[in-house]
Amino acid sequence: MTRLLIIGSLAGELGQAARIANARGASLAQADGVVSGLGHLRGEGADLVLAEVIHDLPWMLERLAEERIVTPVIACGMDADSEAVLRAIRAGAREFLPLPPDAELIAAMLEAVTAKDGAPVCRDPAMRALLARAEQLARSEASVLVTGESGTGKEVLARHIHLASRRARGPFVALNCAALPENLLESELFGHEKGAFSGAVAARKGKFEQAERGTLLLDEIGEMDPRLQAKLLRAIQEREVDRLGGIQPVKIDVRILAATNRDLPAEVRAGRFREDLYFRLNVVELRIPPLRERGGDILPLAAYFATRYSAANGLPDRPIAPLATVRLMAHPWPGNVRELENAMHRAVLLASGREIDLEAIELASMGDAPICEAVAPAPGLPAQPAIAALVGRRMEEVERELILETLGRCLGNRTRAAEILGISIRTMRNKLAEYRGQGLTVPPAPGQMPDAWKVA
């Protein structure tokens, strides 16, 4: 259940947006202004904020940045509020929600936060067996390590475990350990006291405390810095956390789930992941097979995504034509379920007849093989000319072009591009920040506004 904070009055159009979100499954909290809203984010936290632009959103967004609170803020207002909207977007608001609100747009925003809704869609025997095992484990308090390639649905499975557990009435809080630099990750995870660092003007609960009596998912756990791994291990063992700048530990009652697309035993052998933390997290491992190993799920998932995106775009729900299903079944899906979802969303928009036909299934962006294979020279062809063209160029130039080209072919998917290049997501993020600093255009992440569209 998405934790939604409304900043503003519930009597008008914003109240209508709140009721739509609640009907879509979000839990609601309300604050009259940015000061009380900031207080709520320091304490209970939220997954998403809808705030009226009549309030001083730039001030609140500046405080959030100073206090290292990473929560997306949606600016809400009428068309006549364009100047206030621009100020909010410049200050860091994630998106703009026009009022009166559109139900499907709100649903899309909630979906972007929660990644998925409902139980996992599966028909393949391997996935049915995995789901049955997950539901059996859900009743326990044991830590579970969910593994699998990028895009297989690890967070979806983690949410399903939470909803099938005795903690289902408590919060489900997810934190992507690869999405934040180390200093922000520590504050986000453990919280901080007033004065812990410059900008910490008030105490704030971290994700551990926000997940009290619920479930905390540590996604991309293999990307966590070793120093934080030691602090995490202590929190799990002692069932208490030390806030940054704190004197007394805070007791916690949280179930831990972790997810990774890395080979953690190999990371342990390489000295990049603590062995004791690995065994503490890996009481039970659930490995989600890649989509190419569970062909029985391809067509049910494709039909599910077609129905979902037809409704989201106000289009009729059309069946998938037989030739289109043949193409879907023949594709190896290197991007797994995420790639299939994008393909079906695109197909829904491109289809023009009574069916989603073969012409609407465009898979050329990823090719019929992983990118690392698709860009390799054909067998028997010499690679010397391509290598010779690089002679005389600086190494950093070649590296930059390779990273940006790979990212572009991955449609902005940072995790997938990092996997192909053999680098960590942290290295990828640092490189992209460096390129932006040089004034270069970086392909936006899926669902993110391109740099060229952003207000200067």
Side-chain angles (χ1 to χ4, degrees), residues 38 41 60-69 71 73:
L38 185 59
L41 292 172
M60 185 183 75
L61 288 160
E62 187 177 347
R63 301 290 84 73
L64 291 178
E66 289 176 352
E67 299 183 33
R68 305 177 184 177
I69 301 175
T71 303
V73 175

Side-chain angles (χ1 to χ4, degrees), residues 152-287:
T152 49
K154 295 183 288 294
E155 183 173 342
V156 177
L157 183 62
R159 287 181 181 275
H160 187 68
I161 291 172
H162 168 71
L163 292 174
S165 74
R166 290 175 292 183
R167 295 176 175 267
R169 292 183 178 274
F172 176 87
V173 179
L175 178 64
N176 189 323
C177 300
L180 300 172
E182 180 189 346
N183 61 332
L184 288 181
L185 180 59
E186 183 174 13
S187 174
E188 192 73 9
L189 193 56
F190 301 107
H192 61 252
E193 296 291 352
K194 180 179 179 179
F197 50 82
S198 177
V201 298
R204 185 223 173 178
K205 292 181 179 180
K207 296 298 187 187
F208 266 106
E209 292 180 72
Q210 292 177 23
E212 181 69 12
R213 296 186 180 180
T215 303
L216 174 62
L217 170 64
L218 300 174
D219 200 5
E220 304 290 359
I221 187 67
E223 305 296 337
M224 182 176 284
D225 183 86
R227 186 184 69 84
L228 281 186
Q229 291 177 26
K231 190 169 182 178
L232 173 62
L233 177 65
R234 183 186 178 280
I236 296 173
Q237 289 177 333
E238 304 299 326
R239 304 192 72 79
E240 61 184 27
V241 294
D242 296 306
R243 293 180 179 175
L244 273 69
I247 299 175
Q248 296 292 330
V250 179
K251 291 293 183 181
I252 53 171
D253 176 15
V254 175
R255 185 186 189 179
I256 302 295
L257 304 179
T260 183
N261 57 15
R262 287 190 172 271
D263 182 350
L264 285 191
E267 295 294 299
V268 169
R269 292 191 295 271
R272 293 187 290 266
F273 200 83
R274 294 180 62 106
E275 184 178 43
D276 46 7
L277 178 59
Y278 170 69
F279 287 118
R280 179 66 65 172
L281 294 173
N282 189 22
V283 176
V284 182
E285 178 179 348
L286 294 176
R287 175 188 173 271

Side-chain angles (χ1 to χ4, degrees), residues 144-446:
V144 177
L145 179 64
V146 183
T147 62
E149 295 179 6
S150 177
T152 49
K154 295 183 288 294
E155 183 173 342
V156 177
L157 183 62
R159 287 181 181 275
H160 187 68
I161 291 172
H162 168 71
L163 292 174
S165 74
R166 290 175 292 183
R167 295 176 175 267
R169 292 183 178 274
F172 176 87
V173 179
L175 178 64
N176 189 323
C177 300
L180 300 172
E182 180 189 346
N183 61 332
L184 288 181
L185 180 59
E186 183 174 13
S187 174
E188 192 73 9
L189 193 56
F190 301 107
H192 61 252
E193 296 291 352
K194 180 179 179 179
F197 50 82
S198 177
V201 298
R204 185 223 173 178
K205 292 181 179 180
K207 296 298 187 187
F208 266 106
E209 292 180 72
Q210 292 177 23
E212 181 69 12
R213 296 186 180 180
T215 303
L216 174 62
L217 170 64
L218 300 174
D219 200 5
E220 304 290 359
I221 187 67
E223 305 296 337
M224 182 176 284
D225 183 86
R227 186 184 69 84
L228 281 186
Q229 291 177 26
K231 190 169 182 178
L232 173 62
L233 177 65
R234 183 186 178 280
I236 296 173
Q237 289 177 333
E238 304 299 326
R239 304 192 72 79
E240 61 184 27
V241 294
D242 296 306
R243 293 180 179 175
L244 273 69
I247 299 175
Q248 296 292 330
V250 179
K251 291 293 183 181
I252 53 171
D253 176 15
V254 175
R255 185 186 189 179
I256 302 295
L257 304 179
T260 183
N261 57 15
R262 287 190 172 271
D263 182 350
L264 285 191
E267 295 294 299
V268 169
R269 292 191 295 271
R272 293 187 290 266
F273 200 83
R274 294 180 62 106
E275 184 178 43
D276 46 7
L277 178 59
Y278 170 69
F279 287 118
R280 179 66 65 172
L281 294 173
N282 189 22
V283 176
V284 182
E285 178 179 348
L286 294 176
R287 175 188 173 271
I288 303 181
L291 191 54
R292 62 183 174 274
E293 293 180 9
R294 46 181 170 119
D297 285 344
I298 294 174
L299 295 184
L301 281 167
Y304 169 75
F305 290 132
T307 298
R308 178 170 151 196
Y309 286 112
S310 294
N313 289 280
L315 296 170
D317 188 10
R318 292 163 290 184
I320 303 172
L323 286 179
T325 64
V326 171
R327 185 170 191 184
L328 292 173
M329 291 300 295
H331 190 64
W333 301 110
N336 292 297
V337 179
R338 187 180 296 123
E339 183 191 356
L340 175 60
E341 178 178 2
N342 291 341
M344 293 313 300
H345 191 175
R346 188 163 51 244
V348 163
L349 300 177
L350 294 177
S352 56
R354 295 183 177 181
E355 295 180 316
I356 297 176
D357 55 19
L358 182 62
E359 287 71 23
I361 307 294
E362 292 188 355
L363 305 174
S365 60
M366 294 291 286
D368 289 335
I371 296 172
C372 50
E373 298 174 10
V375 298
L381 292 180
Q384 286 86 344
I387 296 174
L390 302 178
V391 175
R393 300 185 62 189
R394 296 174 63 85
M395 182 67 74
E396 55 264 34
E397 293 177 1
V398 176
E399 178 189 66
R400 181 178 63 232
E401 290 186 14
L402 178 61
I403 289 175
L404 292 177
E405 178 67 16
T406 303
L407 186 61
R409 293 187 179 224
C410 288
L411 305 180
N413 188 319
R414 271 70 171 153
T415 302
R416 176 63 182 153
E419 285 179 347
I420 291 169
L421 293 167
I423 60 178
S424 71
I425 190 68
R426 182 175 289 109
T427 299
M428 170 69 77
R429 184 180 61 245
N430 291 339
K431 290 289 184 183
L432 297 182
E434 177 185 330
Y435 301 155
R436 287 194 190 93
Q438 296 170 359
L440 298 174
T441 300
V442 174

Side-chain angles (χ1 to χ4, degrees), residues 29-154:
Q30 187 264 342
D32 291 327
V34 291
V35 174
S36 55
L38 185 59
H40 182 90
L41 292 172
R42 289 169 178 154
E44 299 306 313
D47 298 314
L48 183 67
V49 176
L50 296 184
E52 280 187 298
V53 294
I54 60 173
H55 298 284
D56 192 352
L57 298 191
W59 177 87
M60 185 183 75
L61 288 160
E62 187 177 347
R63 301 290 84 73
L64 291 178
E66 289 176 352
E67 299 183 33
R68 305 177 184 177
I69 301 175
V70 184
T71 303
V73 175
I74 307 297
C76 307
M78 311 287 284
D79 291 339
D81 300 324
S82 57
E83 288 299 322
V85 171
L86 286 175
R87 287 195 296 271
I89 295 296
R90 288 191 185 106
R94 180 71 59 86
E95 290 185 55
F96 169 57
L97 175 66
L99 298 177
D102 177 81
E104 296 304 332
L105 183 55
I106 291 176
M109 290 177 174
L110 294 175
E111 188 176 308
V113 173
T114 59
K116 264 301 190 285
D117 56 350
V121 176
C122 68
R123 297 291 184 274
D124 192 90
M127 276 302 293
R128 285 182 176 273
L130 178 68
L131 203 59
R133 190 179 189 205
E135 290 169 354
Q136 179 184 0
L137 295 171
R139 297 189 287 270
S140 73
E141 290 292 305
S143 298
V144 177
L145 179 64
V146 183
T147 62
E149 295 179 6
S150 177
T152 49
K154 295 183 288 294

